[in-house]
Amino acid sequence: MMDTTRRLIIAHIALAMLVFAVMAQDAGAQKMDEMWGRQVMMLKAVDAERGQLFEDGNYAMFIHWGLYSNIGNLYKGKSYYGIGEWIMNRNMADIPIDEYKALAGKFNPVKFDADEIAKLAKDAGMKYIVITSKHHDGLAMYHSKVNKFNIVDATPFGRDPMKELAKACQKYGLGLGFYYSHNQDWTFPGGGNGPKQTADGKDADFKYYYENKCRPQVEEITTHYGPIAIVWFDTPGRIPREYVEELVRIVRKNQPKALVSGRAGYGLGDYQTLGDMEVPNENVEGIWETVDTTNDSWAYAWYDNYWKAPKEILHRLVSCVGRGGTYMLNIGPKGDGTVPELATRTLRKAGEWIRRYPQVVYGADASPWKHALPWGDVTVKNNTLFLCVFNEPKSGELYLPGLKTKVKSACLLDGKKRGTKLKVRTMGNWTKIQLPPRPAEKLIPVVQVELDESPEVDSCWGIDPALETTILAQFAEVTGAKQETKKWMEKFGEWKHLVRVWQWAEGGKASWEVDVLKSGYYNVDLTYNGEGRIVWGVDVAGGQHIQNQQNSSHNYQKFPIGWINFPEPGRYTVSVSCIEGNLAQASLKAIHFTFVD
Ligand code: FHN
C-alpha cells in the first residue's frame, strides 16, 4: 500500500506536468499547464515569515472585478455563457479592442464600498483578500501613472478602489493581495494575446509591453498601497523566464514579506496553485492553494445563480485544509460595485460556522487518512483530530478505519468549553464513535478526538458499515488500462477535474485493497461514462465474481452492478474490469459499496 501511495503521488506529479485540455485563446490553443504555470513546488522552502500567511490563514477571498463586470456576460442583447472576465475573447462576445476600451466611458461603479467588502471577508472568516488589479483585459483597477487605461483616468468613476480597499483591509486586520496578469494583456501592444502593433502602426513585441506597462505597473502595485500579502501573477503562458525573474525580484525588493503565486511561472513563485476550481482528493505535499468561486464564473455574470450553499463552501474549505492546503474563494462584484446578495448571504452563513469551530480551520494540518471518509473529513492539530461530519449516518455510528493511535476521549463540540462526551469503542483496526441522535449543530457537526500521541493511520480503504463508501479510480492499482487525469471545461473557463481509468485491454483491472468490518452482502455501484452498453465485472480476489451490463452516457453517472459478498471481516482485494462494449471509451471514476440489510 505504501508503494501504491508513492506511485500515485509520482503519477500525480507526472500527470500534473503533462499536456491537458486547452483553453482557446487568440494566439491559438494553449496547454493548461503552461497557462497555469503549474510546477512541482512541493519541496521548496518558503521564507518562514512569508509562509506564515498560509499557516495562519488557510481561507481567503478572491475578487474578480473590472470593466467586464459591467458587461456581466450580456453584450448587445445577447447572453454569453462562461467566465465573465473573458467576455472580449473570440469564444465569448469577440469584442474588438477599441470597442471594448470605449466601454470604460460607461463604467461607473459608484456603489463600490471597500469597507463593506472587507467586512464581508472578515465575517466570512477569511484572512486576506486578493483582488484583480489588472486582468487580461488590461484595465488597471487602480490609478496607474504609467498607463491611462485605468479606472481613474479612463472611467467616470474617478476613484482608486485599491486605495480604498487597502485602507479597509488594514482596518479589519486582513491581508491584501493583488492579482496581476503579467503575461496576457489583450489591449496593450505586445501583451500576451494582445495587438501586435502600436496605435501608430509600429511593431510591438512582448518586451515593448513589458517595459512600458507590465514592469512599471508591478512597481506601482507593490509600492503605492502599503504592505501587500501576495502578488498573484496568473497565466504565465510562454513568457520568457528573465521577465518572471525580474518581476519576482521587484516584489522581493518592494514587499519582502509578500508571497508570489506559483502562476508567476518557472517555479519561481512561493507556492503551488492547483487547477482552477480543483479541490484535490488526496493530500498534496508542500505549500499550495485551491482557487474556487462562489458560483460558476469568476467575474459577475447576470445569469450565474448557481451559488455554493454554506455547507458546500465549508465542505470544500475543510477538504482543502484536510488535504494540507489553503482555500481562496472568489466573489464577482457587479458593475455598480456591489456584491451579489446571495454571495454575501452564503459566505456569512459559512463564516458563522467557522466562528463556532475556528480550531478546525486555522492553523490546522492535513488528515492522516489523506483522503475524505464516507461521513466527512478530518483536520488535525497536534494530538487532536477534528472530525467534520458532512454526512451523518442514520445510526449515529461514526467509523474510523485503521486508526492505530490510542483514543483518549471524544466529544461533540457545541460551542461550550468541553462539549458532549461521546462513547468510543475499538474493534481491531476500527474505532467507532457514537453520535447522539440529533446533534444540535445543524450545518456540520464537529467531533473532537483526543489521542495519546500524534495520529497514525493504516492507509487501507475501510468499507463503512453504516454509510455508502466511495473509492475513486484515482486510488486504484491499475494494470491493462490507462489511469490518467482528465480536465475539461463545463462552460467556457469553468474547469472540472478527475482521475479516470479507461482504454481497457482484455484482462485489464483497477484494484483496491479494502478492509471490511461487517461481513455480508454489499451493493456495488460504479460511476463511469462511455459509449453504449457496457459489461463490467467486479471480483473479490479468491472469492466471488459478479458482472452486469448497464448503459452509459457521455456524463459520469452511477449505475448498479449487483451484490457482492464479503464472507468474513478482514482484508480483501476488489477489482473492476471492463468485459464487453467499447473498452477504449469506458471511463471509470469510482466504485461504491453499500451494506445490504
Ligand atoms: O484566465 C484566468 C481566469 O480568467 C481567472 O482569472 C482564473 C483564476 O484562477 N485564472 C486564469 C485561468 O486559469
Side-chain angles (χ1 to χ4, degrees):
M1 212 52 200
M2 269 317 287
D3 274 344
T4 311
T5 311
R6 205 170 308 129
R7 248 198 312 268
L8 281 167
I9 292 171
I10 292 165
H12 191 88
I13 295 167
L15 284 165
M17 302 191 74
L18 280 176
V19 180
F20 291 129
V22 292
M23 182 184 261
Q25 297 187 23
D26 292 348
Q30 212 177 25
K31 294 168 190 159
M32 281 321 294
D33 275 358
E34 193 176 85
M35 190 166 116
W36 284 333
R38 196 146 158 186
Q39 303 279 342
V40 180
M41 303 180 72
M42 303 184 159
L43 303 173
K44 190 163 177 168
V46 169
D47 173 270
E49 204 168 0
R50 291 205 303 272
Q52 200 57 31
L53 183 73
F54 276 20
E55 261 308 298
D56 300 339
N58 24 23
Y59 187 30
M61 178 180 274
F62 205 12
I63 303 179
H64 277 68
W65 188 53
L67 178 50
Y68 40 78
S69 313
N70 207 33
I71 302 170
N73 275 1
L74 180 67
Y75 194 63
K76 294 187 175 167
K78 184 170 175 212
S79 293
Y80 292 88
Y81 297 90
I83 48 177
E85 67 283 5
W86 278 67
I87 189 71
M88 269 189 88
N89 184 262
R90 64 177 173 192
N91 291 289
M92 297 284 281
D94 197 10
I95 308 175
I97 294 171
D98 289 343
E99 195 174 310
Y100 185 80
K101 287 178 90 170
L103 296 171
K106 292 209 175 91
F107 181 33
N108 195 11
V110 288
K111 293 188 182 157
F112 176 78
D113 184 341
D115 194 275
E116 206 166 278
I117 291 179
K119 184 162 185 319
L120 171 63
K122 187 85 186 172
D123 291 348
M126 294 158 159
K127 297 287 186 171
Y128 55 93
I129 295 178
V130 175
I131 186 166
T132 44
S133 69
K134 186 203 81 166
H135 206 271
H136 312 329
D137 69 337
L139 181 80
M141 290 295 287
Y142 68 96
H143 194 192
S144 173
K145 304 291 169 352
V146 297
N147 187 267
K148 288 275 175 224
F149 191 45
N150 70 73
I151 189 162
V152 177
D153 295 320
T155 80
F157 186 49
R159 280 161 46 191
D160 182 338
M162 300 300 130
K163 272 250 142 74
E164 296 171 18
L165 192 63
K167 203 170 145 213
C169 284
Q170 292 229 341
K171 173 176 163 190
Y172 290 100
L174 297 165
L176 173 68
F178 287 133
Y179 174 110
Y180 189 86
S181 175
H182 58 322
N183 170 39
Q184 296 197 66
D185 191 309
W186 301 335
T187 51
F188 193 87
N193 298 326
K196 301 288 168 252
Q197 290 194 326
T198 60
D200 50 6
K202 292 200 186 102
D203 287 347
D205 57 8
F206 189 81
K207 186 165 184 274
Y208 177 83
Y209 151 75
Y210 179 78
E211 287 178 352
N212 291 288
K213 186 168 183 187
C214 177
R215 182 174 59 198
Q217 286 200 332
V218 171
E219 285 280 2
E220 287 180 331
I221 58 171
T222 52
T223 49
H224 293 183
Y225 297 90
I228 300 298
I230 294 193
V231 180
W232 214 92
F233 295 113
D234 196 10
T235 64
R238 292 179 191 152
I239 185 172
R241 184 183 173 104
E242 62 267 26
Y243 297 121
V244 181
E245 282 172 348
E246 188 176 41
L247 292 175
V248 174
R249 272 202 303 277
I250 293 170
V251 179
R252 299 281 187 250
K253 164 177 67 89
N254 296 336
Q255 297 282 346
K257 291 185 188 165
L259 286 169
V260 173
S261 68
R263 291 193 188 172
Y266 298 100
L268 295 173
D270 291 311
Y271 65 91
Q272 186 187 183
T273 301
L274 305 190
D276 285 353
M277 305 153 184
E278 179 180 11
V279 176
N281 298 310
E282 190 178 14
N283 286 13
V284 176
E285 294 292 319
I287 303 175
W288 59 271
E289 74 183 348
T290 282
V291 287
D292 200 5
T293 185
T294 36
N295 45 354
D296 286 340
S297 171
W298 300 104
Y300 174 71
W302 75 268
Y303 57 81
D304 192 359
N305 265 302
Y306 185 39
W307 304 103
K308 292 183 176 63
K311 189 166 176 179
E312 195 183 352
I313 289 177
L314 293 167
H315 193 154
R316 291 169 83 84
L317 166 64
V318 170
S319 300
C320 287
V321 178
R323 303 288 77 74
T326 286
Y327 187 57
M328 183 152 79
L329 182 59
N330 178 77
I331 56 166
K334 298 182 189 176
D336 66 2
T338 58
V339 179
E341 206 259 321
L342 295 178
T344 67
R345 196 195 289 186
T346 191
L347 286 177
R348 283 213 161 89
K349 197 103 202 117
E352 286 166 18
W353 182 90
I354 298 173
R355 261 193 300 287
R356 291 198 287 280
Y357 311 103
Q359 65 275 45
V360 174
V361 176
Y362 307 130
D365 292 326
S367 165
W369 279 270
K370 301 189 173 140
H371 52 74
L373 292 166
W375 43 262
D377 218 327
V378 179
T379 67
V380 178
K381 222 171 256 174
N382 306 318
N383 299 351
T384 306
L385 304 177
F386 300 108
L387 318 183
C388 301
V389 185
F390 305 133
N391 188 16
E392 271 170 64
K394 275 203 193 95
S395 62
E397 294 169 342
L398 275 194
Y399 286 97
L400 305 183
L403 179 62
K404 293 189 196 160
T405 324
K406 195 164 174 264
V407 174
K408 285 211 283 204
S409 64
C411 72
L412 181 68
L413 298 182
D414 52 10
K416 292 190 200 117
K417 234 185 169 175
R418 307 183 71 174
T420 313
K421 203 167 181 325
L422 300 176
K423 267 200 192 136
V424 181
R425 204 176 136 203
T426 309
M427 294 159 286
N429 292 330
W430 291 76
T431 305
K432 183 173 88 173
I433 297 174
Q434 186 64 47
L435 287 176
R438 249 169 272 113
E441 172 60 63
K442 292 285 164 279
L443 206 48
I444 300 168
V446 179
V447 175
Q448 179 170 323
V449 180
E450 296 299 340
L451 304 175
D452 254 358
E453 45 202 326
S454 60
E456 246 193 89
V457 163
D458 183 329
S459 57
C460 184
W461 284 90
I463 305 288
D464 197 300
L467 283 171
E468 177 183 273
T469 303
T470 294
I471 312 181
L472 295 171
Q474 172 171 355
F475 297 104
E477 186 112 25
V478 177
T479 53
K482 200 165 176 190
Q483 187 180 38
E484 67 171 21
T485 302
K486 178 178 159 66
K487 295 169 190 269
W488 72 97
M489 289 194 277
E490 205 72 65
K491 285 195 278 294
F492 179 74
E494 182 196 327
W495 286 95
K496 304 287 172 200
H497 313 253
L498 60 76
V499 175
R500 63 179 170 180
V501 176
W502 71 321
Q503 298 184 3
W504 303 80
E506 216 174 294
K509 273 183 189 174
S511 311
W512 303 264
E513 198 192 357
V514 300
D515 190 8
V516 174
L517 176 66
K518 191 169 177 179
S519 57
Y521 281 93
Y522 284 77
N523 183 59
V524 176
D525 297 287
L526 297 179
T527 296
Y528 60 87
N529 79 7
E531 274 174 11
R533 296 193 181 107
I534 300 172
V535 178
W536 295 97
V538 179
D539 285 272
V540 176
Q544 204 187 349
H545 165 83
I546 59 170
Q547 71 180 57
N548 200 357
Q549 186 188 59
Q550 292 290 11
N551 218 329
S552 67
S553 81
H554 71 280
N555 287 326
Y556 283 88
Q557 272 186 35
K558 191 172 169 187
F559 293 92
I561 302 300
W563 292 9
I564 203 155
N565 188 24
F566 295 115
E568 305 287 339
R571 299 221 165 174
Y572 296 87
T573 300
V574 176
S575 305
V576 170
S577 51
C578 189
I579 297 171
E580 273 174 43
N582 188 338
L583 269 62
Q585 289 304 316
S587 171
L588 181 71
K589 180 182 170 191
I591 184 168
H592 315 264
F593 302 88
T594 312
F595 184 73
V596 183
D597 268 334

